[in-house]
Amino acid sequence: MENFLSLNLPPALMETITRMQYSIPTPIQAQAIPPALEGRDILGSAQTGTGKTAAYAIPLVVKLMSNPRGSALILTPTRELATQVMSVLKQFLGSRSTVNTALLIGGESMGPQFQQLRNRPRLIIGTPGRINDHLERGTLMLHDASFLVLDETDRMLDMGFSSQLDQIAKFLPKTRQTLMFSATMPANILKISEKYLTNPVRIKVGEENAPAANVNLTHDIIHTDDANKYEVLMKELTAREGSIIVFVKTKRGADRLAVRLNKQKMSADAIHGDLKQSKRDRVIGNFRAQKYRILVATDVAARGLDIDHIKHVVNFDMPHAPEDYIHRIGRTARAGALGSAVSLISGEDRGKWRAIQRLINPGEPQAQEAHKPRPSNSKFNQRRRNFRPRNSGNAAAA
Ligand code: AMP
C-alpha cells in the first residue's frame, strides 16, 4: 500500500484524508489497513506517534459507513486518550456523518452520557470502568458491536483493567473483528491476545520499544539525591527551551511541584487523576495552547498525550514500571520533531533505571552502575553531551 488512493475508500472518507494532508501512509497504516479492511483481526505493536489511531480509525469508519447497522467500540486506558481518539474519529467520520457517537469516560457526570446513549450511538469510545458501569446499568448495549479496538492494551493491564476487559467481552458478539494495539508485547499481552483475537495478523512497527529507538530523541540521566533534586530540576528547566512535561509519582507531589515552580516564575500547571474531567481538559487545553510551559503530571494522567510541541520529558521521580518510562518519553520527539528526556536518579532509583535499560536495550550488557557510560552504540549516547549535567549537587555525569 503506497498511498491511500489504492484502498478504494468511500469518497467522503478519501476527501477527509486528503484534507487532513495524510498523503503517505505511515508504516503501521500501510501494514494494518489492508488486512483490517478485509476483516482480519490485528495484533499490532505500535506507540502513539506512529499513526496508529488512523490505522484502526480508517477501517472502523469504512465498516460503519458501508453498513447501516452494527456498532464499534474503542477501549482506551485513560480519559484523555479516549477524548483524543474521539476527536480523530469524528474528523474521519466527517461533519455530515449520521453516525452517532458516545464518549463514556470516568470523572464526568452521567447525564450527558445517558443522553448520548439514548441516541443509539454506533461508535462508542471509553475507558473500561465507565463502560462497565453503563453495561451494568443496562444503559449501554453492545450486542451489535462487531468491531472492537483495544488501544494501549499494555497500559490497560498495567492499570489493572484486565478483569474489566473480561467483563466487557461478555457483552460483545462472539463474531466480531478485533484490533488490538500495544506499545509493548510482554507475555501477558500475548496471552490476552489469544483470548480476544482470532487468527490475527501480527504487525510490528520498528522495535517494540520504538520511542527509545527514536533517533530524534536523546536520553540523559543525572545522579542526584532527594535533598538536591529540586535544585537540579530548576537548573534543567532553566537550561531548556520550549514545552516541558515533568513526571512525578504522586498526585499531591504534582500539585505541590506546580505551585512551587509558579512561585519561582516558572509557568506550570499540574495534572493527575484526582482532577475533575473539566479541570483536566482545561489544564491540557492551556498546555496545548502554550499558555504555560511546564506540565507536571502523574503517569496515568499524561498517558497518550499527543502534543507536538513538547520538547522535553523530565523524570523528576522515576516510574515504578519500566514500561512507563517508554510511555513517558513517547510524549516528546513526535511526528519527526526533536526531543529530549532526562531522568533524575537518586539512590533508590538505580535499580529502576537498570530495569528500564534492560527493557530498552535487551541483550545489551548492562553497566553495573547506572552512571557508567553506555557502549558507544547505545541509544542512550545520542547527543547526550548536549545535556551533560552541570554540577548538580553530587551529580555524576551520565
Ligand atoms: P498517533 O500515532 O495516532 O497518535 O498519530 C500521531 C500523529 O501523526 C497525529 O498527529 C496524526 O495526525 C499524524 N498522522 C497519522 N497518520 C499520518 C499520515 N499518514 N500522514 C501524516 N500525518 C499522520
Side-chain angles (χ1 to χ4, degrees), residues 4 21-22 24-26 29 47-53 306 334:
F4 290 103
Q21 298 185 321
Y22 286 16
I24 302 167
T26 67
Q29 291 161 4
Q47 302 282 336
T48 46
T50 56
K52 94 178 138 58
T53 317
D306 180 13
R334 296 171 73 76

Side-chain angles (χ1 to χ4, degrees), residues 1 4 17 20-29 33 46-56 58 81 84-85 88 91-92 151-152 304-308 331 334-335:
M1 171 187 162
F4 290 103
I17 291 173
M20 289 167 84
Q21 298 185 321
Y22 286 16
S23 48
I24 302 167
T26 67
I28 185 95
Q29 291 161 4
I33 295 175
Q47 302 282 336
T48 46
T50 56
K52 94 178 138 58
T53 317
Y56 64 71
I58 291 172
L81 184 58
Q84 225 163 263
V85 168
V88 175
Q91 274 182 286
F92 280 119
D151 198 354
E152 301 202 351
L305 267 191
D306 180 13
I307 298 179
D308 287 347
R331 299 311 106 226
R334 296 171 73 76

